[in-house]
Amino acid sequence: MKKRGVLMSHSLKAAALVLLAGAVLTNARADPAYSISTPDSVLTGMVTGASVTIRLGAPSSALLSRATLKLNGADVTSALHADGAGSMSGVVAGLEPGANVLQLFSKTSKEMVAQLTIMKALAPAVSCESLMSLTGFPVQSTRITQATLASPSGTTPEYCLVQGRIQERTGIAGIFGTTSYRTDQPYGTRFEVRLPTAWNGRYLFQGSGGTEGGLPGATGQIGGTAGLAILRNGFVVASQNGGHTNSELPPAYPPGSTTTDLNHIQVISGNMFFPDAQAVKDWGYNSIDVTTQTAKFLINAYYGRAQERSYFVGCSTSGRQGMAMSQRFPQHYDGIVAGDPFYLPPDISLSETWGLEQIISVSPIVNGTPQYLQSFTLADQNLFTNAILAACDHLDGLVDGVIDNMAACTFDPATFVFPSSGVYGSIAPGMPLQCTGDKTATCLTPAQVNATKKIAEGPRTSSGERITSPDGTTLSGYPFDGGFMQPSGIPTRDIGSANSPPGNIGLGSGQLPLFWFATPDPGYNPLTVNYDTDIHLVTPASPVVNNSTDIGQFIGRGGKIIFYHGLSDSGPPWPYTQKYFHDVMVKNGGYAGAAKFMKLYLVPNMGHCSGNMATDQFDMLTPMVNWIENGVAPEEIIASGNRFPATIGPYTGLSNTTRSRPLCPYPKTLRYNGSGDISQAGSYACQ
């Protein structure tokens, strides 16, 4: 839906987005009875003229008639006229290029009761081509390789496309003592910045994932910005490659070998930068830092002024990198959206490997190669999904294929018995999920059930004790959720598909002995970790570990951070993100204190950053802009997903029907209102 004015995230039915103001940035008290809105611009966009249509709302016309509206400190109340009960509107002139702040003051209070920031478009001060000869960059050895004015195309506006390289050098790569080893490996941060001809005064860093190694187009179209046309809205957008280029790294070793199995190890090409300490640091945070400095330098050169606000949006690796910015470079960004963050890589890798080993334990082994697809057939995966939905889907008051009350869910696959009636009553009426005899289509073997329970519980010693990693963190598993055995849950990382092996073989588990051992050991088979004896091999620290809770400088300058995480993510387990949120909360005045600068949204059924029968499409950037620029903390955020079934019934796989639902700020959870279309967000509320 196209959004205009200011986001009011807790209003699900408003036809226009209205700011119900709180002024956290100026310590003013919020009064949700007052509002400022405009139909002339989306909140994350801009206007091009010097005037704008403004609408005010208040509890009564009498109160509004005594209110004062100021634009950049000047009284503009006379531009408005009454146009209904508790409503005024008019055209306010005098907008200046850049940020313009409208503030509403009530007669009965000297404090501001509403605020709206409107950006007026800014134009370039120099030609795009002139950036090719730019000098004096903040990071030495920066060079521009392209500065081209891109013509408008479709909904994409005209923009200046700049690409370049920073800190080019040679280093080492590959496995020492093998033909893969190099001492002349080229490294360096490659970056792209797109600077629109009509600029809204804002800068956005667009994150990427995995080990990076490619240069994504800086379009701003990334998870967490669903529905937004970032360049059309006027953002300058930057992206980068993580300090290395995958196509230049040594090929997988041994050459011509297959995926790692129980008898041999293959190091994939994308991991081959592991022995170069600077390359690891670049991937950890340095490439983001130098790209940010360079992008802001280019902004100043092109427009003749600095950005008004800076935002960061990323998921997975870049969710972690966003956290690194708040911890290491608190001055770089005003607002950070960090999704499914890979911020504790050694611990996360141990969790991932534990899950993979449980799947291997129930997979037939042929010549040392686990037959992953036979561990849980697609029918077995669907059976498990139906079992957990039958056990817990109804606990939130609505049977809809989504579990919104996991706190009340006591699902144990070893003792669960299918119901004989209701939505899930036709699957195996009155029969246990765990087979009591031979394996059939309506039961799982005790070994399969045990594997799922171990994955959910997380790493344990052979005596059943929980494990603490060298950095002091208790290792997490993957708690049961409705999407646990849906395609983007455990299957994508630990079972694979007919077209691809389990994702953890190359990344999560494959990286463990390379990046996350104190002494890298490419000869260690990551599919055979001994959780009794090998934990000490793991490093307690790395440039890629971003778990510091000391973010006081970021908070002190008004920084805000929004976390989100899929409850069926089979990469980084969501409890690690919840733990970080809790640890920061404890240091900053509990939930009430932390709510001033930090939010967490846990997304039922969603896999890693997206996927499954989940509402995995959402816009976190607009609420962040509203929080930073207008002081309105986000509450409910509307999300949608298009893999739901058309009718309620047993789970048979992903479908293609769209639903929308609110995402709730932790610790709130979603509940159905008791009536209304279950596919519409307005039928739900957070509580």
Side-chain angles (χ1 to χ4, degrees):
M1 179 179 71
K2 189 175 183 181
K3 301 177 177 66
R4 295 189 178 274
V6 175
L7 177 67
M8 185 173 69
S9 58
H10 54 279
S11 176
L12 306 181
K13 299 179 179 179
L17 293 168
V18 179
L19 172 63
L20 294 190
V24 174
L25 299 182
T26 57
N27 296 317
R29 292 180 179 273
D31 188 341
Y34 290 85
S35 65
I36 311 176
S37 66
T38 177
D40 295 348
S41 172
V42 295
L43 176 62
T44 55
M46 59 192 167
V47 298
T48 56
S51 60
V52 63
T53 301
I54 293 297
R55 293 170 179 163
L56 304 182
S60 70
S61 297
L63 286 174
L64 198 55
S65 68
R66 297 193 296 271
T68 300
L69 180 67
K70 293 186 177 182
L71 170 64
N72 300 329
D75 190 336
V76 293
T77 312
S78 61
L80 306 177
H81 61 273
D83 60 359
S87 176
M88 296 181 73
S89 65
V91 176
V92 174
L95 298 183
E96 301 172 353
N100 294 268
V101 181
L102 286 155
Q103 296 175 314
L104 184 64
F105 296 84
S106 72
K107 180 70 173 179
T108 58
S109 173
K110 295 181 180 179
E111 295 176 333
M112 183 177 60
V113 294
Q115 177 172 306
L116 174 61
T117 299
I118 296 175
M119 296 290 185
K120 181 184 175 185
L122 296 147
V126 299
S127 70
C128 178
E129 292 75 14
S130 69
L131 299 181
M132 278 295 298
S133 57
L134 194 61
T135 60
F137 288 95
V139 182
Q140 291 185 352
S141 64
T142 297
R143 66 185 180 97
I144 302 298
T145 59
Q146 179 181 359
T148 307
L149 191 65
S151 300
S153 177
T155 60
T156 302
E158 181 179 84
Y159 64 90
C160 178
L161 173 64
V162 179
Q163 291 187 350
R165 303 189 182 191
I166 311 170
Q167 295 178 330
E168 292 176 285
R169 63 181 181 87
T170 57
I172 60 174
I175 304 168
F176 183 77
T178 73
T179 56
S180 70
Y181 190 70
R182 298 176 182 173
T183 58
D184 60 350
Q185 175 65 43
Y187 287 112
T189 296
R190 296 185 179 184
F191 69 87
E192 177 172 298
V193 181
R194 299 191 183 188
L195 305 105
T197 301
W199 179 40
N200 70 7
R202 303 180 180 101
Y203 159 63
L204 175 71
F205 180 89
Q206 169 192 319
S208 51
T211 55
E212 300 187 280
L215 180 58
T219 63
Q221 304 309 126
I222 182 177
T225 65
L228 297 181
I230 301 296
L231 286 173
R232 187 176 66 189
N233 284 2
F235 283 84
V236 167
V237 184
S239 62
Q240 51 78 60
N241 73 336
H244 60 275
T245 300
N246 283 346
S247 62
E248 297 176 347
L249 291 172
Y253 186 87
S257 68
T258 57
T259 301
T260 295
D261 58 35
L262 298 178
N263 291 339
H264 96 289
I265 303 161
Q266 183 195 54
V267 176
I268 65 173
S269 179
N271 288 337
M272 285 293 190
F273 67 95
F274 77 90
D276 192 291
Q278 182 59 47
V280 174
K281 180 180 177 181
D282 288 344
W283 177 46
Y285 60 84
N286 185 62
S287 286
I288 313 298
D289 170 36
V290 298
T291 297
T292 299
Q293 292 186 56
T294 302
K296 291 184 176 182
F297 184 79
L298 287 166
I299 287 171
N300 218 328
Y302 192 51
Y303 300 107
R305 60 181 290 172
Q307 66 287 335
E308 298 278 359
R309 294 292 186 180
S310 299
Y311 298 96
F312 184 110
V313 179
C315 194
S316 189
T317 285
S318 52
R320 171 189 61 74
Q321 291 166 337
M323 294 173 68
M325 294 299 101
S326 70
Q327 296 163 23
R328 292 178 175 269
F329 306 98
Q331 74 281 6
H332 279 349
Y333 293 94
D334 300 297
I336 295 169
V337 177
D340 299 60
F342 184 64
Y343 80 97
L344 271 178
D347 302 347
I348 292 169
S349 187
L350 286 169
S351 296
E352 291 170 321
T353 301
W354 174 263
L356 186 59
E357 287 190 2
Q358 307 318 307
I359 294 298
I360 291 173
S361 74
V362 292
S363 298
I365 308 299
V366 178
N367 297 323
T369 301
Q371 306 301 296
Y372 297 100
L373 295 180
Q374 296 182 42
S375 63
F376 286 84
T377 65
L378 184 58
D380 289 341
Q381 295 170 28
N382 290 351
L383 181 68
F384 183 92
T385 297
N386 277 309
I388 191 169
L389 291 177
C392 301
D393 187 4
H394 66 284
L395 296 176
D396 54 23
L398 176 68
V399 176
D400 62 347
V402 182
I403 302 171
D404 284 307
N405 190 9
M406 277 305 302
C409 179
T410 58
F411 173 68
D412 182 347
T415 59
F416 174 75
V417 176
F418 280 100
S420 299
S421 61
V423 171
Y424 303 101
S426 63
I427 298 168
M431 300 298 292
L433 173 63
Q434 179 168 295
C435 302
T436 57
D438 292 339
K439 173 76 172 76
T440 71
T442 57
C443 69
L444 300 176
T445 68
Q448 288 177 303
V449 166
N450 189 49
T452 65
K453 293 182 68 170
K454 285 188 172 183
I455 292 171
E457 292 169 354
R460 297 290 195 275
T461 64
S462 57
S463 60
E465 297 174 347
R466 298 198 70 174
I467 297 171
T468 300
S469 73
D471 65 30
T473 301
T474 300
L475 296 181
S476 174
Y478 298 88
F480 289 137
D481 178 60
F484 184 86
M485 272 291 177
Q486 291 182 29
S488 293
I490 295 302
T492 187
R493 294 280 184 142
D494 297 328
I495 299 173
S497 68
N499 300 317
S500 60
N504 278 333
I505 295 177
L507 290 177
S509 302
Q511 291 178 342
L512 180 60
L514 305 176
F515 293 94
W516 318 132
F517 275 14
T519 301
D521 184 0
Y524 182 100
N525 192 321
L527 305 188
T528 60
V529 174
N530 186 319
Y531 284 81
D532 285 337
T533 63
D534 294 354
I535 299 300
H536 75 281
L537 298 173
V538 176
T539 182
S542 163
V544 192
V545 172
N546 306 118
N547 62 343
S548 173
T549 56
D550 295 326
I551 58 172
Q553 286 184 278
F554 177 72
I555 299 167
R557 60 180 298 273
K560 317 289 186 190
I561 187 164
I562 295 176
F563 295 101
Y564 66 87
H565 208 127
L567 288 175
S568 289
D569 188 341
S570 55
W574 65 263
Y576 287 133
T577 300
Q578 183 190 49
K579 177 185 183 300
Y580 182 83
F581 182 90
H582 180 268
D583 290 348
V584 173
M585 182 182 74
V586 169
K587 294 183 66 172
N588 290 276
Y591 180 76
K596 297 175 183 177
F597 63 88
M598 182 174 66
K599 296 283 184 175
L600 168 62
Y601 294 85
L602 299 173
V603 187
N605 280 7
M606 190 175 85
H608 185 55
C609 298
S610 64
N612 287 342
M613 191 171 68
T615 47
D616 60 351
Q617 300 297 306
F618 40 78
D619 167 19
M620 297 282 180
L621 180 58
T622 297
M624 176 60 80
V625 168
N626 204 25
W627 200 4
I628 291 294
E629 298 180 13
N630 300 309
V632 179
E635 291 297 329
E636 297 176 5
I637 293 177
I638 305 306
S640 66
N642 57 11
R643 303 181 194 91
F644 291 90
T647 58
I648 300 300
Y651 175 81
T652 58
L654 302 181
S655 192
N656 57 8
T657 296
T658 297
R659 292 186 197 171
S660 66
R661 296 157 58 92
L663 302 179
C664 301
Y666 176 83
K668 293 181 179 180
T669 54
L670 195 67
R671 295 293 182 272
Y672 181 56
N673 290 334
S675 62
D677 187 344
I678 68 168
S679 69
Q680 298 301 312
S683 301
Y684 302 85
C686 295
Q687 56 181 252

